[in-house]
Amino acid sequence: MINLKTKSDIEAMAESGQILAKALEAAEEAVKPGMTTERLNEIVEKVILREGAKPSCKNYQGFPACCCISPNNVVVHGIPSRSVVLKEGDIVSVDSGAYYKGFHSDAARTFAVGKISEEAKRLIEVTRACFFAGAKMAVDGNRVGDIGSAIQQMAEEAGYGVVRELVGHGVGRSLHESPDVPNFGRAGKGVRLTRGMVIAIEPMINMGAADVRFSKTDGWTVTTLDGSLSAHYENTVAITEDGPKILTLR
Ligand code: MF3
Ligand code: CO
């Protein structure tokens, strides 16, 4: 079942989204070589709490932190750790959620740690562009496949792999709602998009092959099978009568 949101629901979700955007900006400003992923998690959590929101991910299905922090070949769901130290040239994805006035917001960014290679820069930039190509299709009357197809086309044209096992999703009073929003698919296919739907569009793009591996040790960490770098860019997007409204960007 798809939970449609009223205008006032979407206003509350926008407030939640602005808090999350602010928290991720704090992470972007703070990220530097020598920092642990645990420290980066603390910085995001501090802003979310200071703004009167709650971290959506903490204790979600047992997840132990406020953010998923995923360096280099980690695709998503990396667990922040005092023993993971970021170094010059790394890329790092930070994915978090804020719960405020009864609604979740969900967003992720991939940051450069110090100076990074041109190839890594391009991966981050294309992943971000994939999000916007998808978000542009998030309009009343389109279908979920229009979003996925736009993202897949852009990523594959750049020579990258699109992760299949993890997908975007509806967002609202629960962090994960219907429908699934894959980053691949066929234009004109899938669930019809309507005003009042709020979805997380979240391309996870690998520099190499699309295949991923799920950690059997910690139950969370997802890495690329071939060891290549992976980037993630996500925002919570409302489908409104005025078109797509990105709630987690300032
Ligand atoms: N943005 C993440 C997702 O949609 C949220 C993960 S929270 C976690 O998968 F607890 F599941 F890690
Ligand atoms: Co998400």
Side-chain angles (χ1 to χ4, degrees):
M1 192 193 68
I2 294 174
N3 299 318
L4 295 180
K5 279 81 185 175
T6 64
K7 273 189 181 155
S8 85
D9 291 342
I10 291 173
E11 278 165 25
M13 292 193 76
E15 289 184 56
S16 173
Q18 292 306 295
I19 293 169
L20 180 57
K22 208 183 270 186
L24 290 175
E25 278 175 24
E28 181 167 26
E29 281 164 28
V31 68
K32 62 167 197 285
M35 176 182 257
T36 66
T37 56
E38 171 59 36
R39 179 73 192 118
L40 205 50
N41 177 72
E42 278 169 19
I43 287 163
V44 173
E45 183 163 20
K46 219 166 117 183
V47 176
I48 290 175
L49 294 174
R50 186 189 72 207
E51 298 290 327
K54 285 197 178 131
S56 302
C57 298
K58 206 167 186 174
N59 303 319
Y60 179 85
Q61 292 181 5
F63 191 78
C66 167
C67 303
C68 301
I69 303 197
S70 309
N72 298 323
N73 63 319
V74 181
V75 178
V76 286
H77 299 171
I79 300 173
S81 165
R82 268 175 303 175
S83 57
V84 178
V85 181
L86 298 170
K87 58 181 196 304
E88 180 98 21
D90 284 350
I91 64 170
V92 63
S93 304
V94 179
D95 182 359
S96 195
Y99 182 72
Y100 188 71
K101 295 191 176 173
F103 291 96
H104 294 276
S105 53
D106 189 355
R109 314 272 182 259
T110 301
F111 304 128
V113 183
K115 199 172 154 41
I116 63 170
S117 69
E118 288 306 315
E119 298 100 290
K121 250 183 229 170
R122 180 171 166 264
L123 175 69
I124 292 174
E125 277 159 20
V126 170
T127 303
R128 186 172 175 281
C130 283
F131 164 82
F132 284 100
K136 215 170 104 181
M137 307 308 284
V139 296
D140 188 289
N142 271 359
R143 288 177 184 271
V144 157
D146 294 313
I147 297 174
S149 145
I151 292 172
Q152 180 180 8
Q153 197 177 326
M154 181 170 286
E156 290 180 351
E157 262 169 27
Y160 298 146
V162 177
V163 174
R164 306 301 156 105
E165 289 86 345
L166 299 136
V167 296
H169 50 89
V171 195
R173 294 193 182 275
S174 301
L175 182 58
H176 294 125
E177 297 186 351
S178 287
D180 279 355
V181 182
N183 299 301
F184 53 90
R186 282 176 183 275
K189 302 282 181 190
V191 170
R192 185 181 286 278
L193 303 171
T194 62
R195 275 180 279 178
M197 285 174 67
V198 180
I199 56 177
I201 301 176
E202 51 175 317
M204 290 155 264
I205 307 296
N206 300 344
M207 196 179 273
D211 312 74
V212 298
R213 183 180 163 275
F214 292 79
S215 167
K216 289 192 186 90
T217 334
D218 67 22
W220 284 102
T221 309
V222 182
T223 50
T224 56
L225 194 61
D226 62 9
S228 66
L229 295 179
S230 187
H232 187 198
Y233 189 88
E234 172 179 31
N235 283 301
T236 299
V237 180
I239 297 162
T240 76
E241 57 194 6
D242 307 317
K245 194 169 171 223
I246 302 173
L247 305 181
T248 45
L249 272 179
R250 297 217 289 159

